[in-house]
């Protein structure tokens, strides 16, 4: 696996426990009191989208569904609201992954933006359809900030997979 | 060549097709969305997930509460002293009323007994700490630190030192969810203190409340205080709920738009008191069965009322 398909640098294989802990860490970030600040991104959606693009064989709709349930309970939202949005997000990102990774990071972020916005809009539509109140436009700024965070998130989440640039060819195995 | 009949070994085990999986998960999501919203029968699932999520959430809230704690700890001695003085002063000013409350209550009880009216219920409850606000931006809910373990049940009213805060809507093992009165369409039956008129106040979802279905010429002014009327069997009568801040009387509509602000510190963090459930109200009288007897009575009453109005 490469950072992008056009890169010549080869990555180490991903460790499953790192995926697991990054998803749990994203949920923890969502639980922080900062989640009430306007424009805070949905960390779980961002990390889930990232791993669905990168490792769609390991992180798929099952993970999305479980994380959605957890977020629904933690938020006090209606059960199924996050599940629906996350499952769709995981499916579309997985189907985009073969194309997405040919682009440089900034263009990747631009293509991910509609997915993250859609995940938020779907949730808003589901709740508005059953009579909730409009949460204000600040609710839709979160995904835009998450788009900007796509580039640093890629660096951080791929960090354990980079191998040193200068390898010693004579090292004893 | 026995092996030729065999199917080739599955080199690439991929599980079900993605589209099939998507359909499956989406169907489940939509099903639990509808069931949770309409039938409320998934509370057991929610409680069991909350059993795992709730401790993690409390841990995540710790940094914030530590910062709060440090801020109050480092608050100057002078600030605390002045607050202490203010509290003492407030206690002294309310002393004349409070000291006579016990005597007034016993007198009220005696008089009610003489009149053979049912005695007023006493308010009892337990203090709970607000842990955090629920993250859901579509509703207004807070989580408190008492749950099934402390005997909290859904439906209990909650007050703070100034007035009504809300109502317990979901109970977990060690925590409970309180829906604030400012939540959209959360209704509280109220009475206007000045005129004694009864109505229902609804949350608007933006921190305000609205008194609905009051005629344009209703006797209501800015600054009127609304207290619970106790007609619903949930809230005890007499707790302050809201204060009228704005009245729009437009003769194009048959009802006035009356906006109120909650009296209690509804959106602030702190401690609340979860009141015990009220004793059940006496059963409602049976609906008018025959028009001949009861209807006639009602008609006469209506006529008398009309005469009084004239």
């Amino acid at each position: 696996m490469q950072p992008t398909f056009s890169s010549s640098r080869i990555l180490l294989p991903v460790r499953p426990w790192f995926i697991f802990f990054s998803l749990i860490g994203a949920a923890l970030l969502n639980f922080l009191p900062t989640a009430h600040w306007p424009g805070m991104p949905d960390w779980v959606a961002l990390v889930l989208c990232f791993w669905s693009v990168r490792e769609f064989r390991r992180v798929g709709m099952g993970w999305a569904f479980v994380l959605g349930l957890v977020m629904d309970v933690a938020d006090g939202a209606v059960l199924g609201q996050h599940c629906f949005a996350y499952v769709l997000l995981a499916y579309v990102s997985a189907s985009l992954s073969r194309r997405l990774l040919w682009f440089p990071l900034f263009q990747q972020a631009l293509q991910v933006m509609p997915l993250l916005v859609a995940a938020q809009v779907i949730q808003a539509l589901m709740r508005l359809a059953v009579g909730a109140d409009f949460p204000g436009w600040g609710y839709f700024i979160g995904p835009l900030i998450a788009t900007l965070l796509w580039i640093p998130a890629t660096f951080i989440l791929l960090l354990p997979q980079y191998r040193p640039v200068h390898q010693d060819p004579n090292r004893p195995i | 060549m026995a092996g030729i009949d065999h199917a080739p070994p599955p080199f690439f085990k991929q599980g079900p097709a993605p589209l099939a999986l998507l359909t499956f998960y989406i169907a489940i999501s939509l099903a639990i969305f509808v069931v949770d919203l309409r039938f409320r029968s998934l509370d057991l699932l929610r409680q069991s997930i909350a059993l795992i999520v709730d401790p993690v959430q409390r841990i995540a809230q710790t940094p914030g509460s530590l910062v709060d704690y440090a801020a109050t700890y480092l608050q100057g001695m002078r600030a605390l002293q002045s607050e202490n003085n203010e509290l003492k002063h407030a206690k002294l000013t309310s002393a004349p009323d409070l000291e006579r409350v016990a005597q007034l209550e016993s007198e009220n009880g005696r008089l009610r007994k003489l009149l053979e009216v049912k005695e007023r219920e006493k308010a009892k409850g337990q203090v709970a700490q607000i842990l955090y606000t629920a993250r859901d931006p579509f509703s207004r809910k807070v989580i408190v630190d008492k749950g099934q373990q402390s005997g909290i049940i859904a439906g209990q009213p909650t007050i703070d030192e100034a007035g009504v805060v809300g109502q317990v809507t979901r109970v977990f093992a060690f925590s409970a969810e309180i829906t604030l009165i400012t939540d959209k369409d959360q209704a509280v039956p109220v009475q206007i203190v000045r005129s004694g008129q009864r109505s229902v106040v609804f949350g608007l979802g933006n921190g305000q409340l609205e008194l609905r279905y009051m005629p344009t010429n209703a006797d209501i002014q800015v600054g009127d205080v609304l207290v619970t009327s106790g007609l619903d069997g949930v809230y005890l009568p007499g707790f302050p709920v809201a204060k009228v801040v704005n009245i729009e009387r437009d003769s194009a509509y048959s009802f006035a738009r009356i906006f109120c602000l909650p009296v209690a510190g509804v959106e602030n963090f702190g401690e609340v008191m979860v009141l015990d459930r009220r004793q059940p109200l006496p059963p409602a009288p049976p609906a008018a069965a025959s028009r001949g007897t009861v209807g006639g009575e009602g008609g006469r009453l209506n006529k008398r009322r009309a005469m009084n109005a004239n």
Side-chain angles (χ1 to χ4, degrees):
Chain A
M1 201 74 167
Q2 294 149 308
T4 60
F5 284 164
S6 23
S7 159
S8 60
R9 203 168 168 188
I10 305 291
L11 290 176
L12 295 170
V14 65
R15 293 189 182 86
W17 61 262
F18 181 72
I19 298 183
F20 178 74
F21 280 109
S22 64
L23 286 169
I24 299 291
L28 266 179
L29 280 177
N30 264 4
F31 295 166
L32 286 181
T34 53
H36 292 284
W37 296 356
M40 275 311 263
D42 186 349
W43 298 100
V44 174
L46 178 65
V47 175
L48 188 73
C49 179
F50 178 82
W51 287 123
S52 308
V53 167
R54 281 270 155 197
E55 302 285 339
F56 54 88
R57 291 206 197 290
R58 290 178 199 275
V59 177
M61 288 169 264
W63 265 103
F65 185 79
V66 171
L67 282 170
L69 269 184
V70 167
M71 284 316 298
D72 281 336
V73 172
D75 277 15
V78 184
L79 282 183
Q81 171 197 333
H82 282 89
C83 298
F84 187 85
Y86 286 174
V87 165
L88 266 183
L89 177 72
Y91 175 76
V92 180
S93 350
S95 55
L96 271 185
S97 69
R98 292 203 174 82
R99 194 187 72 189
L100 202 62
L101 290 179
W102 284 105
F103 291 99
L105 276 180
F106 182 69
Q107 290 177 30
Q108 282 183 24
L110 277 185
Q111 299 196 32
V112 163
M113 180 170 71
L115 302 189
L116 296 173
V117 173
Q120 205 87 335
V121 169
I122 285 171
Q123 294 184 37
L125 287 182
M126 284 174 89
R127 290 302 290 278
L128 291 180
V130 294
D133 198 39
F134 187 69
W137 292 107
Y139 180 68
F140 300 99
I141 300 175
L144 303 182
I145 307 249
T147 310
L148 295 180
L149 287 172
W150 179 260
I151 299 163
T154 307
F155 276 115
I156 291 168
L157 292 173
L158 287 185
L159 213 52
Q161 298 182 51
Y162 284 119
R163 61 174 91 210
V165 178
H166 301 291
Q167 288 182 353
D168 182 9
N170 300 322
R171 69 168 182 180
I173 292 174
Chain B
M1 295 295 278
I4 206 98
D5 307 331
H6 290 274
F11 283 117
F12 307 107
K13 279 188 185 162
Q14 291 190 356
L19 205 58
L21 267 183
L22 177 75
T23 323
F24 175 68
Y25 282 124
I26 289 229
I28 294 189
S29 306
L30 285 181
I32 60 176
F33 185 77
V34 173
V35 170
D36 190 38
L37 206 67
R38 291 278 169 250
F39 307 109
R40 293 246 165 192
S41 49
L42 286 173
D43 278 354
L44 198 65
L45 173 70
R46 195 184 273 271
Q47 277 168 10
S48 37
I49 298 175
L51 212 57
I52 306 163
V53 174
D54 191 51
V56 184
Q57 242 178 326
R58 286 195 195 196
I59 292 169
Q61 297 287 331
T62 345
S65 40
L66 277 183
V67 169
D68 284 351
Y69 179 72
T72 47
Y73 188 80
L74 295 175
Q75 210 179 28
M77 184 116 162
R78 186 167 298 175
L80 285 178
Q81 245 166 6
S82 73
E83 192 189 332
N84 196 5
N85 281 340
E86 272 170 31
L87 286 177
K88 269 184 188 161
H89 188 71
K91 200 179 159 195
L92 196 64
T93 43
S94 58
D97 300 331
L98 282 178
E99 277 164 16
R100 293 177 63 207
V101 163
Q103 192 256 332
L104 285 176
E105 284 223 334
S106 69
E107 184 183 323
N108 189 13
R110 262 202 318 277
L111 289 175
R112 276 175 177 262
K113 232 173 236 166
L114 282 181
L115 289 171
E116 292 181 351
V117 182
K118 197 163 160 277
E119 277 198 62
R120 277 176 87 103
E121 231 176 287
K122 288 219 172 69
K124 278 178 295 181
Q126 41 190 328
V127 174
Q129 180 91 36
I130 294 183
L131 289 175
Y132 50 87
T133 318
R135 189 171 155 268
D136 189 27
F138 302 98
S139 58
R140 283 167 186 261
K141 291 168 181 167
V142 292
I143 312 292
V144 295
D145 66 343
K146 294 247 165 85
Q148 279 165 341
Q149 290 291 316
S150 318
I152 304 266
I153 32 177
Q156 284 182 305
T158 312
I159 58 168
D160 73 352
E161 70 273 7
V164 175
V165 170
Q167 209 180 345
V168 177
T169 42
R170 280 193 190 113
V171 189
F172 305 115
F174 302 102
S175 57
E177 179 192 274
I178 292 175
T179 303
L180 304 177
I181 51 171
T182 46
D183 190 62
K184 198 187 178 202
D185 289 342
Q186 177 80 3
V188 183
V190 291
Q191 189 168 20
I192 301 164
V193 173
R194 191 173 50 81
S195 61
Q197 200 168 3
R198 279 184 293 269
S199 180
V200 182
V201 76
F202 290 84
L204 279 181
N206 58 3
Q208 280 194 331
L209 303 156
E210 189 186 4
L211 200 60
R212 288 188 193 156
Y213 315 123
M214 294 288 274
T216 333
N217 58 357
D219 175 21
I220 187 159
Q221 299 164 3
V222 171
D224 274 353
V225 176
L226 312 175
V227 297
T228 47
S229 66
L231 285 186
D232 51 353
V234 171
Y235 296 98
L236 282 169
F239 286 115
V241 177
K243 204 172 229 177
V244 178
V245 289
N246 186 18
I247 303 175
E248 288 172 18
R249 295 183 202 268
D250 189 347
S251 52
Y253 302 100
S254 45
F255 297 119
R257 301 210 70 189
I258 302 161
F259 297 99
C260 321
L261 275 182
V263 175
V266 166
E267 315 265 323
N268 302 341
F269 280 76
E271 284 182 332
V272 292
M273 184 147 198
V274 182
L275 296 178
D276 290 347
R277 272 188 107 113
R278 283 183 69 177
Q279 291 157 12
L281 292 178
S290 58
R291 295 190 67 100
T293 53
V294 187
E297 187 97 345
R300 223 182 304 150
L301 275 176
N302 283 345
K303 247 179 236 161
R304 206 179 298 157
R305 251 182 234 145
M307 276 166 66
N308 283 346
N310 291 336

